[in-house]
Each structure stands twice: as C-alpha cells, then as structure tokens.
Amino acid sequence: MLSATMAALLLATSAVAGAATAADVPGVSTPAPAPTPTPRPTPAPLPTPKPPVRPSYVPKMKLPPRSGSGARIVYSRHFMHVWLINRANVVWRDFPVTGRADWPRVGRYRVYSKSRHTSNPHYHLTFNFMTRWAYGRHARIGFHTIPKRNGHYIQPVSTLGQPLGLGGCVRMATVNARLIYRWAKIGTRVVVLR
C-alpha cells in the first residue's frame, strides 16, 4: 500500500503528464461525483376565476324621454309607472303604481321626509314606507304601500297601473314601497311626468 502522500504525489505527476487519473493509482479511491439535481418543471399558474356575469336589468316599460338625468325617481301619471334610475343614468328598477291622473302637477321635486308607518286622517287610511316629496291639498304626497281602511286594503295589487288615487299619493306593492323607502335619501330627485 502506498502512503497517502505518495499517492497524492503520483496523482499530481500523472495529472501533469495527462496520462493517469486517481483510478490508475493503486490504493486511491475515486470519490463518486455529486448528483446533479434535476430541475423540476414550474407548474403553470391556475387561471383566475372570473366573477359570474350578472344579467343587466331589463325595464318592464321604456323610460319616457325628457325625464332628466342622474340618480332620480321618475313617475308617469299617464302610464301609472315608476322608474328608479341610478347615478349612471341606468334604470335599475321599474314597476306599476296607482295614483291620480291629474295630480300632483308635472314637475321636479325632492324627497323631504320619510316615515315607516303613517296615516291620512282625512281619508281614514293607514300605510307603510312613506317617502314624501310634494304637498297636496289635504295631505303630503309621497310613495307608499297600498293603504288600509279598517284593516283592509283599499285595492288589490292586480289593479296597480290604473289611476285610482285619492289625494295624490302614489301607491305600490309593499316590496317596491320598501325599496324606494330604503334607496331614496332626503334630497333625492323625483320627476313627475304627464
């Protein structure tokens, strides 16, 4: 057996001459080469899920021309219909209502008060979700549910869309009266058309 110093010297001499390697020198073992790591493929990123597309609202009745712009409530006495329009000037809800064909006057108004429950002593009526925006001859005018007299509704929901009003208020289904009550703020514009 060669000593470690002698083996190293022989290896160095052989390397200079280019004739031998460590495997050619007796008693010297060749270290195993370190394994080369295999690169792992980078997984492709998962696609970002797209939010579901919400269908845009299709109005039941076309908004009449010359009804203003921006966020507002439009009421047509002729059609007995109400439209709610957002700030982008898009109708996001509309529905039939009942009011008077001749009152209140055509014009522009603003919501000035709201009450969850109220009544009209002149006509002996009670109703909910009152959103007031005008003044009538005997009472304030606003949007509200179909009134009750002695605990009974004065008209069925099926008759909404007809001019059956009394004092000038605009009656509607409870779901729509609640919608206006929650959506409209003090100062929200109300546009009344013929």
Side-chain angles (χ1 to χ4, degrees):
M1 285 285 242
L2 296 171
S3 68
T5 307
M6 193 72 163
L9 184 58
L10 273 173
L11 184 58
T13 307
S14 299
V16 170
T21 63
D24 297 329
V25 178
V28 176
S29 60
T30 305
T36 306
T38 306
R40 290 186 180 179
T42 306
L46 295 174
T48 305
K50 294 181 180 177
V53 177
R54 296 179 67 195
S56 58
Y57 179 78
V58 178
K60 297 169 188 64
M61 185 178 288
K62 185 177 177 182
L63 179 68
R66 296 181 298 281
S67 68
S69 63
R72 66 200 184 281
I73 302 168
V74 176
Y75 164 49
S76 169
R77 293 184 335 208
H78 175 76
F79 293 112
M80 285 293 142
H81 206 81
V82 162
W83 294 262
L84 302 182
I85 297 105
N86 64 20
R87 284 185 282 184
N89 211 40
V90 174
V91 175
W92 65 277
R93 289 294 179 275
D94 72 306
F95 39 85
V97 296
T98 286
R100 282 178 51 167
D102 62 339
W103 190 256
R105 292 183 179 138
V106 169
R108 284 161 170 58
Y109 302 84
R110 293 220 179 244
V111 171
Y112 63 84
S113 74
K114 302 195 296 185
S115 300
R116 174 68 177 76
H117 306 286
T118 191
S119 64
N120 183 325
H122 183 79
Y123 294 108
H124 310 288
L125 300 173
T126 60
F127 36 88
N128 297 319
F129 302 113
M130 174 66 151
T131 303
R132 298 176 191 85
W133 45 271
Y135 294 90
R137 295 180 179 100
H138 302 291
R140 296 175 177 194
I141 294 174
F143 302 112
H144 58 72
T145 59
I146 295 172
K148 289 183 179 181
R149 181 182 288 127
N150 300 323
H152 301 284
Y153 288 108
I154 65 171
Q155 78 177 88
V157 172
S158 61
T159 60
L160 291 172
Q162 300 175 31
L164 305 171
L166 296 171
C169 279
V170 182
R171 311 172 200 160
M172 58 197 65
T174 300
V175 64
N176 296 323
R178 184 187 296 116
L179 179 66
I180 288 181
Y181 182 82
R182 291 179 175 169
W183 180 73
K185 308 289 187 262
I186 301 302
T188 296
R189 285 182 301 138
V190 177
V191 179
V192 178
L193 306 174
R194 281 193 174 81

